[in-house]
Amino acid sequence: MQRKHEESVRIQRLEARIAELEQLVLRGDQGGRRSGRRWSKNSTSLAKIALVLGLLLVLYVYFQHQLRVASANAPVSPVNKITGLSQAASVSDANSFVPISKHDKGDLVRIPSKLVNGKVEPKSLSERMRLLEARVAGWQNSITDPRLAVHPKVDCKNKTGVSEHYLCFDGMNLPGDECIVYDMGIRRQPDFGREMALKYGCTVHAFDPSPVSTEDQSWIKENKLDIPNYIFHEYGAGGVDGDLELFEYNWQQVSPIRYPMYVTQPCGNGTLTDENKFTIKWETKKFVLPVKTLPTIMKELGHSHITFLKLDVEGSEYAFLEDAIDKFGCPPVTQMSIEWHHYTFDQRYGGGSSPEQNAVIAPLDLCGMRMWQRDYDDGGFPDDARYFLEAGLTLRYTTTSHMQVN
């Protein structure tokens, strides 16, 4: 109320000043006609310019006042049930009048938010710009270390490998400390989750939507995982919540990566003639399977923090982590181990300079999630399957491990 009153007073004063200027111009013009000496043409022009400037100033202050009033009286916006974020048509930073596009289920671009004392809050405009800088600079490799994905930033003294993934036990007491593990990607081979549950006493939540894991779940009993602290969920990791189109992938798994139509040479040297043509391949088996984002999973399971997050999700790691960074700012995870798939190298720097990886690792590094381990210092192991090359896909694998550093 005090601010509204002050704005009204300012407008009244400016209006009074404009009225004085109008009278001054009028008197000057009349006096000039009477005596030809009191006002010159130049002085009249200056007065008119002052009048115009004053009117513009009044309009500027008036519209600012209306914006503040509208913002103060705006109704509370509904909350998107999927994201937990406001669906306001426009949000403004406290120090800016730059409009922010609305966020709803039909919007392709997520509005970045952050986790503050267990609550999700919108990022400020400056925080959003910093996140955008990290992503764009990471993708373009215009960062201080173009090989960010192969250069560990911190060291771990008490480390161990668990089924092709790595954990750092510095400062931890396992078994003993409370330990929540998300094991994303199983394929009937729950070695990582089994060791974390049986050896370290962690509560393990395992996730996999692929039919090879869900249709016959005898692997749970075979691996002695029919225990209270091992829970299997028949959905996968995704950048959205709901059913997602996924495709047949290596080792009977599913992936968001679709093999495009390609030409293959089945045998011999072959020529593009009627007698001995190359073969065109295009069939890719398709599945529609449930996936969920990290914020949704944590909310449904009642978790505010995760001790270890293992991601081996055949290409879904990008969308899953991008969404987690957008929703949480810094994902509430102590450590994460990521297996990366299908990435390229920057031609300027070669092996290890992956735009796809850097665009995710740079924002994680920005919020203190530092890499301490990587499998290959040249960027990763290439798949030798011929059809990947023929389909024009680049398939490499590598694993990186990250931990939160205060």
Side-chain angles (χ1 to χ4, degrees), residues 296-342:
T296 296
I297 296 171
M298 293 183 67
K299 182 177 180 181
E300 290 181 355
L301 298 182
H303 297 146
S304 60
H305 191 84
I306 303 167
T307 313
F308 297 108
L309 169 64
K310 187 218 83 176
L311 278 173
D312 186 358
V313 287
E314 316 310 323
S316 292
E317 62 271 13
Y318 299 102
F320 184 74
L321 289 172
E322 287 163 357
D323 177 84
I325 292 168
D326 276 341
K327 302 285 182 58
F328 285 134
C330 292
V333 179
T334 303
Q335 293 186 39
M336 60 176 68
S337 179
I338 310 163
E339 182 171 299
W340 303 90
H341 306 74
H342 287 264

Side-chain angles (χ1 to χ4, degrees), residues 73-89:
N73 296 331
V76 177
S77 300
V79 173
N80 188 304
K81 293 181 180 179
I82 292 180
T83 64
L85 299 178
S86 171
Q87 296 179 179

Side-chain angles (χ1 to χ4, degrees), residues 3-5 7-8 11 60-70:
R3 181 176 292 179
K4 292 180 183 178
H5 176 70
E7 294 290 344
S8 299
I11 291 174
Y60 171 74
V61 173
Y62 173 76
F63 283 117
Q64 279 202 350
H65 173 68
Q66 293 300 315
L67 282 171
R68 292 191 180 96
V69 171

